[in-house]
Amino acid sequence: MSSDIFFYIFAALTAGSALAVVFTKNTVAAALSLLVSLVGVAAIFVLLDAFLLAALMVFVYAGAVVALFLFIVMLLDSQGGTRKPFKKATLFSGFVALLLLIVGLASFAQRGAQAAIVHEVPAAAVPVGASLRAYGEQLFTTYLLPVQIVGFLLLIAMLGVIVLSKKFEGLGDIK
Amino acid sequence: MAVIPVERKPLTLAERTYIPQIVGGLRTTLKHLFRKPLTLEYPEQRPALPVGYRGVPTLVKDPNGREKCVSCQLCEFVCPPKAIRITPGEIPEESTNAHVEKAPQAFDIDMLRCIYCGLCQEVCPEEAIWLQNQFSMSGYTREEMVNNKAKLYELGGTLPDAHFKWDKKKAAEEHGNAH
Amino acid sequence: MFDFYFDLPHWIRMALQGLAVMLVMFPIAAACSMAERKIAAWIQDRPGPNRTLAPILAWVPGIGFLQRLGIFQLAADGGKFAFKEDAIPGHVNKFYFVAAPIIAMIPALTTVVAVPFGAYIDSAGKLVPIVLANVDLGILVVFAVSSLGVYAVILAGWASNSKFPFLGGIRASAQLISYELSMTLSVLPVFLWTNGPLAGEPAGFTGSLNLARVVEFQSQAGFWGGAWFIFLMPLSAFIFLVALFAETNRQPFDTVESEADLVNSFGSEYGAFKWSLFYVAEYAHMLIGSAIFMILFFGGWNPLPWYTLSDLAHHLNFAHLPLVMGVVGIGIFIGKVLAMIFFFMWVRWTLPRFRYDQVMAIGWKKLLPLAIANLVAYTIGIALLYR
Amino acid sequence: MTVGLNEYLFLSALLFAIGFFGVLLRKNTLVIYMCLELMLVASTVALVAFSHFNRTMDGNVFVFFILTVAAAEVAVGLAIIVALFRRRQTIQVEELNALKN
């Protein structure tokens, strides 16, 4: 199947650039790797028939969020700097996390071999997530309360950002 | 002097949106779009030079074909960028103009230095150096841009002379009607 | 006649279509840069570039007219850009410096896939839009992909490793994000309208942001059906237009590459071919933006309001010839887009540039509230209308 | 072998783990933020995959909320980082240790 090949290509792209985010020294390069990773995720969404989410992913994340990151990186001009060696606690916890990760992924693989996770659901004529109306109906019926809460959250976030970025007069002595 | 404070009129709503002004500006530029170009397409079309135009400095001869310069070197002295270099020379005895005594042996104007100020023309007692209509000098080398005497006379040509000063002087000498 | 074409595998046909669109886009974008110079000249009462001529063509009668129009200047410019030494300054970050112009071209040329540019009537009597990918998401794809265009400017500014390009990059990132909001909000009423309950939808219709559908919606019968959206929602069109100027970095919003205070900003370290790629990308953005504007508010490929392409085809009796109709539709559409490009240039030589703080103030304090108010008003209006 | 839910979940887990290690190992606040974003995105992959293979809309709709929350979080977080930088002239986490003693 051709879409399988596409999945592996985009999965490799996504994971590879995600690794680059973690391991690159340059902050701008990290932000750009994040961008590539997000575009890869959008491609994965397309493979999953979630076209709207893919477009939103590119629009919101790749178009705005990463641009904001780059904006801040350039504003603060934080180029790498010296790197201190990790502490023992960090290394230990990292090792534990790696172990957990290996165990988790191994269990995934094992369960997958048993193929017991997915109950076969009959395929719909139109794949789920492809129609816009479905999103609208869900958002404004079942999920109306979360929509309103999220709207409120956005408003609060906006106010918070305005307050945070405002320079207050007369607070200079508070350190 | 009395200071008259001028009350600045507050902008109307229409003015604050800028839209009527922008539309007006667009109308103006659209009018210009269809107007005939004002450009002078230079190599084919030449500008009409006004009288008294100060172009490249040149040396002129009088209508009798005598060179007017007597190499007094005033122009060389006055030239602000020191563009003029004159080598004075004697006029040979057998010449009809021997009584003028001196004439330039060499007369170089470095056009890379000349600033077209016209002081040389101003100062010349003989009206021998003129800034004329020529305005475009070009060359491939620095040497080419130095006008020597022959080039200067070629550029200058002959100008009408009202006085014929040296002819009168000779005549006066010969007929004993000295001042 | 064209059977051999339809016998080709699907992906080859797709590739050919994409290539064809690009081969049209690229020269038009390049020709726009020439047109810009000519129009600038004409507005300033001068003839503009009018000397260039290939010597071997000099004997062709009537070539003088083309020469005066500066047609050959285009070839000369292109040749110069292609063969000029492509210097990379020593202080730049080479990888990103080279990547930036390429990244500029990608969104500029990718957005074309979702833009329909014509229509024809097939043998079943159905109007079929001509588009590379007739996706449901239409406008969202265009917005999403074109929002990636900002990275070219940011990267170019950052990789150039000098002050003015850097400032330009920062300005670009802020400006483009600011105006994207108003732009997106301004087109929502159009799609509310086309997806309204009375939109004459077929059964099982699930709502769509398709651009071809917007054009079809504007070519219905009747007074309201045939009206272009510029008449129905002029404020939306105005907000979209202003945001479009800001998004494409055109005067009066070209604070990003203002030569007076930023020395052409991100372009200042670039030369030759890479610089020309930025320019072509800018014009490609303008072309796409104008195309979207024409589709949303000026009836796409319909020649006149209340007079659709099908009407024209029936009157002139070529409705049964899909090829002719397609060409006529594309011709009308490209003509409209070029008229819009002319408007861009006309405005450029009329208005002075806004200061950067003015750009930000207009974007956030004027345009965004206006767009929100517009959206709310139309939402309420459409809800009342269709209740 | 066809790609099924497992592969998508594996990708999701991998992305999440990479983001997690980034948060753990990096010292630059901005990069830590990017890794947080990676973790959020990893969760969206899992949600969309579940939604696709179970043929329900819920996972897809939930991604909406994640996107919104992520956008709000980035705005506030970056504003905090900028404010922090203004006050302390650094965004390295080991230097931001005012609460240590």
Side-chain angles (χ1 to χ4, degrees):
Chain A
M1 264 172 78
S2 60
S3 73
D4 281 8
I5 301 165
F6 282 123
F7 170 77
Y8 288 117
I9 291 173
F10 287 121
L13 182 77
T14 310
S17 44
L19 280 175
V21 175
V22 177
F23 288 110
T24 184
K25 271 184 189 166
N26 190 330
T27 324
V28 172
L32 289 168
S33 309
L34 182 65
L35 174 68
V36 175
S37 189
L38 292 170
V39 172
V41 169
I44 299 268
F45 282 2
V46 170
L47 294 182
L48 289 170
D49 295 326
F51 304 115
L52 180 68
L53 290 180
L56 279 183
M57 196 77 183
V58 175
F59 195 28
V60 175
Y61 255 116
V65 168
V66 180
L68 207 59
F69 266 116
L70 273 177
F71 183 73
I72 299 296
V73 169
M74 289 177 178
L75 204 66
L76 304 187
D77 202 18
S78 67
Q79 298 296 332
T82 54
R83 242 196 221 185
K84 290 183 186 168
F86 295 118
K87 285 181 198 140
K88 269 182 189 153
T90 318
L91 283 179
F92 178 71
S93 54
F95 182 69
V96 170
L98 189 65
L99 267 184
L100 282 176
L101 173 71
I102 289 170
V103 170
L105 289 183
S107 76
F108 256 138
Q110 203 192 351
R111 290 282 189 86
Q114 291 166 5
I117 292 181
V118 187
H119 308 290
E120 267 312 312
V121 182
V126 181
V128 166
S131 99
L132 297 181
R133 172 155 291 187
Y135 283 98
E137 277 173 357
Q138 287 284 317
L139 278 176
F140 288 104
T141 54
T142 319
Y143 292 95
L144 187 58
L145 183 65
V147 167
Q148 298 196 337
I149 291 174
V150 157
F152 200 63
L153 178 76
L154 277 180
L155 182 67
I156 293 171
M158 193 174 78
L159 289 179
V161 171
I162 292 170
V163 170
L164 274 172
S165 44
K166 207 170 145 72
K167 276 184 195 149
F168 289 105
E169 301 292 324
L171 290 179
D173 50 353
I174 301 173
K175 279 271 160 81
Chain B
M1 211 161 81
V3 176
I4 305 169
V6 179
E7 201 66 25
R8 184 168 286 210
K9 262 191 283 180
L11 297 177
T12 60
L13 183 68
E15 280 169 339
R16 264 185 291 148
T17 60
Y18 302 127
I19 291 168
Q21 277 69 25
I22 288 174
V23 171
L26 287 174
R27 203 178 321 125
T28 307
T29 41
L30 192 66
K31 238 184 282 165
H32 279 269
L33 185 64
F34 297 110
R35 197 175 281 182
K36 236 175 90 94
L38 300 174
T39 312
L40 181 87
E41 298 196 26
Y42 167 61
E44 294 93 21
Q45 302 172 359
R46 293 287 174 149
L49 296 181
V51 181
Y53 183 84
R54 295 202 308 220
V56 174
T58 59
L59 288 179
V60 298
K61 296 184 172 172
D62 74 359
N64 296 342
R66 196 192 65 78
E67 59 177 323
K68 285 175 133 191
C69 179
V70 295
S71 57
C72 66
Q73 291 178 291
L74 273 176
C75 51
E76 184 177 2
F77 179 73
V78 81
C79 182
K82 304 249 173 288
I84 302 177
R85 174 135 309 170
I86 301 170
T87 315
E90 297 282 329
I91 296 181
E93 285 293 334
E94 61 272 15
S95 165
T96 50
N97 296 322
H99 63 296
V100 183
E101 291 180 8
K102 269 180 23 172
Q105 210 169 51
F107 197 117
D108 294 332
I109 303 183
D110 187 349
M111 291 316 296
L112 294 172
R113 308 195 95 192
C114 177
I115 56 170
Y116 299 84
C117 61
L119 282 182
C120 44
Q121 178 184 354
E122 202 79 15
V123 81
C124 184
E126 301 290 327
E127 297 188 352
I129 184 163
W130 284 82
L131 272 63
Q132 294 194 42
N133 278 350
Q134 183 80 24
F135 57 83
S136 140
M137 284 287 302
S138 59
Y140 287 104
T141 59
R142 284 170 182 279
E143 288 70 39
E144 260 178 75
M145 294 301 287
V146 178
N147 287 342
N148 58 19
K149 189 173 150 187
K151 183 86 188 289
L152 286 170
Y153 276 119
E154 185 197 322
L155 288 171
T158 306
L159 282 189
D161 190 339
H163 309 299
F164 293 104
K165 172 177 153 192
W166 289 101
D167 288 351
K168 281 179 189 162
K169 212 157 192 176
K170 191 172 186 185
E173 240 168 52
E174 281 168 3
H175 297 98
N177 193 8
H179 304 287
Chain C
M1 179 164 64
F2 298 103
D3 285 345
F4 76 92
Y5 173 72
F6 291 106
D7 289 340
L8 289 172
H10 183 251
W11 67 271
I12 291 185
R13 268 199 290 154
M14 279 311 190
L16 281 177
Q17 283 174 6
L19 212 61
V21 169
M22 243 175 254
L23 284 181
V24 174
M25 274 286 279
F26 217 89
I28 290 184
C32 280
S33 70
M34 194 61 240
E36 173 108 57
R37 290 169 68 182
K38 283 306 267 192
I39 286 169
W42 287 333
I43 284 181
Q44 294 165 358
D45 292 344
R46 51 191 178 87
N50 62 351
R51 295 301 167 102
T52 322
L53 181 65
I56 47 168
L57 290 176
W59 56 271
V60 180
I63 203 91
F65 175 69
L66 293 179
Q67 184 192 6
R68 300 286 298 177
L69 270 182
I71 300 291
F72 303 104
Q73 183 79 38
L74 187 59
D77 279 354
K80 185 196 114 181
F81 280 135
F83 293 114
K84 196 176 163 185
E85 183 190 358
D86 208 348
I88 297 180
H91 54 78
V92 299
N93 186 329
K94 285 214 177 49
F95 178 74
Y96 293 113
F97 187 78
V98 176
I102 301 169
I103 293 175
M105 288 307 288
I106 291 171
L109 292 179
T110 311
T111 36
V112 193
V113 296
V115 180
F117 35 80
Y120 63 91
I121 296 178
D122 65 2
S123 51
K126 201 165 159 290
L127 199 68
V128 183
I130 305 173
V131 56
L132 287 187
N134 199 5
V135 286
D136 241 12
L137 292 172
I139 186 83
L140 202 56
V141 171
V142 175
F143 278 166
V145 177
S146 65
S147 73
L148 296 180
V150 62
Y151 291 105
V153 180
I154 298 181
L155 265 189
W158 177 73
S160 291
N161 195 14
S162 68
K163 274 190 188 111
F164 289 130
F166 185 69
L167 286 174
I170 288 186
R171 279 186 180 188
S173 55
Q175 176 179 329
L176 296 195
I177 290 177
S178 309
Y179 280 81
E180 229 162 52
L181 291 172
S182 323
M183 197 179 205
T184 318
L185 287 179
S186 72
V187 302
L188 284 182
V190 172
F191 290 96
L192 285 180
W193 192 273
T194 56
N195 287 312
L198 287 187
E201 63 202 41
F205 178 69
T206 58
S208 160
L209 300 176
N210 194 330
L211 286 167
R213 201 184 129 70
V214 178
V215 178
E216 278 165 33
F217 200 85
Q218 293 174 75
S219 33
Q220 292 170 344
F223 179 77
W224 291 107
W228 290 355
F229 282 126
I230 178 82
F231 304 120
L232 295 180
M233 27 193 95
L235 191 57
S236 283
F238 175 72
I239 296 168
F240 187 86
L241 187 66
V242 175
L244 187 61
F245 271 86
E247 286 285 303
T248 48
N249 284 332
R250 291 290 298 187
Q251 244 114 356
F253 292 100
D254 72 333
T255 54
V256 172
E257 51 181 299
S258 53
E259 41 314 277
D261 50 349
L262 283 188
V263 203
N264 200 10
S265 120
F266 62 86
S268 39
E269 304 286 344
Y270 282 90
F273 194 62
K274 290 201 280 288
W275 186 85
S276 69
L277 277 187
F278 274 118
Y279 244 60
V280 171
E282 182 186 327
Y283 282 107
H285 268 300
M286 278 165 63
L287 282 169
I288 299 290
S290 311
I292 300 287
F293 188 62
M294 285 299 147
I295 287 169
L296 289 182
F297 297 106
F298 281 89
W301 44 84
N302 294 325
L304 289 170
W306 297 287
Y307 186 72
T308 65
L309 181 64
S310 324
D311 292 346
L312 183 75
H314 286 301
H315 284 167
L316 297 181
N317 206 13
F318 57 75
H320 57 285
L321 299 168
L323 205 65
V324 175
M325 193 162 161
V327 169
V328 169
I330 292 175
I332 290 172
F333 187 62
I334 289 183
K336 277 182 176 180
V337 169
L338 291 183
M340 183 70 202
I341 297 280
F342 167 73
F343 181 71
F344 269 105
M345 295 168 184
W346 182 17
V347 168
R348 171 169 184 181
W349 298 108
T350 302
L351 297 183
R353 176 184 301 124
F354 286 122
R355 241 172 24 226
Y356 187 63
D357 60 319
Q358 290 173 329
V359 169
M360 282 292 117
I362 290 172
W364 288 104
K365 291 187 194 160
K366 303 264 163 61
L367 219 53
L368 188 59
L370 200 63
I372 293 174
N374 178 51
L375 175 62
V376 170
Y378 272 98
T379 311
I380 294 172
I382 290 167
L384 289 180
L385 200 63
Y386 285 138
R387 194 155 54 91
Chain D
M1 189 179 113
T2 53
V3 172
L5 180 58
N6 278 325
E7 279 74 12
Y8 285 101
L9 290 184
F10 189 85
L11 175 67
S12 169
L14 190 64
L15 274 184
F16 192 88
I18 292 170
F20 178 68
F21 276 109
V23 173
L24 212 60
L25 298 180
R26 292 303 297 263
K27 300 288 169 65
N28 189 327
T29 325
L30 279 165
V31 178
I32 290 178
Y33 238 87
M34 291 177 201
C35 294
L36 278 177
E37 294 302 315
L38 264 184
M39 289 162 76
L40 276 173
V41 166
S43 70
T44 63
V45 172
L47 281 170
V48 175
F50 276 130
S51 200
H52 177 78
F53 286 102
N54 285 326
R55 306 217 153 66
T56 55
M57 277 302 293
D58 303 298
N60 284 343
V61 173
F62 212 74
V63 174
F64 264 101
F65 299 124
I66 293 183
L67 281 181
T68 326
V69 170
E73 176 226 329
V74 163
V76 176
L78 289 180
I80 290 174
I81 291 178
V82 171
L84 204 61
F85 186 79
R86 275 199 195 133
R87 182 61 58 86
R88 307 286 296 268
Q89 303 303 316
T90 180
I91 51 169
Q92 303 292 322
V93 276
E94 67 257 275
E95 291 166 38
L96 301 170
N97 53 3
L99 288 178
K100 200 171 183 181
N101 300 318

